[in-house]
Amino acid sequence: RVDRVRAARYGLSINDVNTAIQAAVGGQEAARLDEEGGDRNVPVIVRLDGAFRNDVEAIGRVPVNATSGATLGDVATIRLAS
């Protein structure tokens, strides 16, 4: 659960925090690779390793963005749901 007041102190919007969560847990395209001699263009998806995606403390250490210096744990209460 995002704490809007704490996020605002870092100059972050709810969207900024949600984007960080999505990238860490669900993954985010970081680049695209072209197959040499072929016509395939493959996305490179980056996300936390499975062991860390299930670790509340690890998720809390994920930076929200480089300029704010805030981590997810600074601006949200994190819990795992099944």
Side-chain angles (χ1 to χ4, degrees):
R1 167 170 244 156
V2 178
D3 183 317
R4 292 174 186 266
V5 173
R6 291 187 341 210
R9 286 186 191 137
Y10 287 95
L12 300 169
S13 69
I14 298 301
N15 188 54
D16 294 329
V17 179
N18 286 336
T19 298
I21 293 167
Q22 174 60 36
V25 178
Q28 182 173 26
E29 185 176 310
R32 294 192 75 80
L33 293 177
D34 291 323
E35 184 179 85
E36 191 172 327
D39 60 352
R40 288 184 43 190
N41 186 282
V42 181
V44 177
I45 306 296
V46 178
R47 68 179 179 173
L48 287 175
D49 183 78
F52 296 107
R53 288 192 310 268
N54 293 314
D55 181 337
V56 171
E57 290 181 15
I59 294 169
R61 291 190 298 269
V62 171
V64 177
N65 70 31
T67 57
S68 73
T71 64
L72 288 174
D74 292 330
V75 297
T77 301
I78 301 164
R79 63 185 169 93
L80 299 177
S82 52

